Amino acid sequence: MVNINIEKCIGCGKCIKVCFPRNIFLENGKAKIKRECMMCGHCLAICPVSAVTLPDYLSDNIQEYNEETFKITPENLLNFIKFRRSIRDYQQKEIEIEKLKNMPSNDPSLRWKDKWFEKYQEYKEKRPETDMFFFNASMIMLIIAEDELDGGLAASNAEKMAVAQGLGVLFSSFIKISLNHSNQINKFLGLKNKERIIACMLLGYPKNKYLRTVPRKEKELEIL
């Protein structure tokens, strides 16, 4: 539930304008919440006096907007996207826990499964020299969600953060489909009723260093 500090609220109405479900109203010059909401956080992000809080979410990672550290130029972002490679050859090097913590793990679609990590560690100790299934990846990250779009967006964010930290990523549809068809795996992971594996990401440090982007087919763009 969204909380609004009445002492701080100045009644500017900005939170009302950005609330898509129309769940906020003014009463005696102060913002009030009507009912439970979708918790998008727009009201928190726009409040000029930081009167809004979301008690059910982590607050220690909230950052004030700073153009110098937040803005990414379109040219750099495009080059970043074009330069990414699907990595199938990894160094035998463990991923630092700090880099994992930098992943957007506060997203509900990303939940750490210690049991799964332990099981993969067991496999790594026994796997063949030529691993055409996991490609000697240091880690496997499973994106678990009820909604496919939410999970897909979480996977995309996790990949960008991984690559920005020098890691390589491979999305494995084969592993994802195989795991989703296994009731034993679903039970092992403790998936809830509507939850399923949306993406399977192999992670590790790339063994090879790429020097340039590669050509792509021209996009077909139709504006309706």
Side-chain angles (χ1 to χ4, degrees), residues 116 119 133-134 140-144 172-189 191 195-202:
W116 173 255
K119 186 62 68 175
F133 197 65
F134 295 110
I140 303 175
M141 177 179 287
L142 301 180
I143 308 298
I144 297 171
S172 177
S173 296
F174 177 76
I175 298 176
K176 182 200 78 169
I177 293 171
S178 300
L179 295 178
N180 271 326
H181 279 80
S182 171
N183 291 330
Q184 186 177 359
I185 290 294
N186 289 343
K187 185 177 180 180
F188 174 77
L189 293 174
L191 300 190
E195 286 185 335
R196 58 197 180 94
I197 300 169
I198 302 300
C200 174
M201 299 169 57
L202 306 186

Side-chain angles (χ1 to χ4, degrees), residues 2-39:
V2 174
N3 282 347
I4 298 178
N5 187 324
I6 301 302
E7 298 298 322
K8 286 186 175 181
C9 178
I10 58 175
C12 66
K14 289 184 177 180
C15 57
I16 297 174
K17 294 178 181 178
V18 298
C19 183
F20 169 72
R22 301 293 184 264
N23 197 34
I24 307 176
F25 66 100
L26 280 183
E27 183 178 271
N28 298 324
K30 301 290 183 178
K32 293 287 185 69
I33 304 297
K34 295 179 183 178
R35 56 189 176 272
E36 294 286 339
C37 69
M38 60 191 294
M39 306 291 281

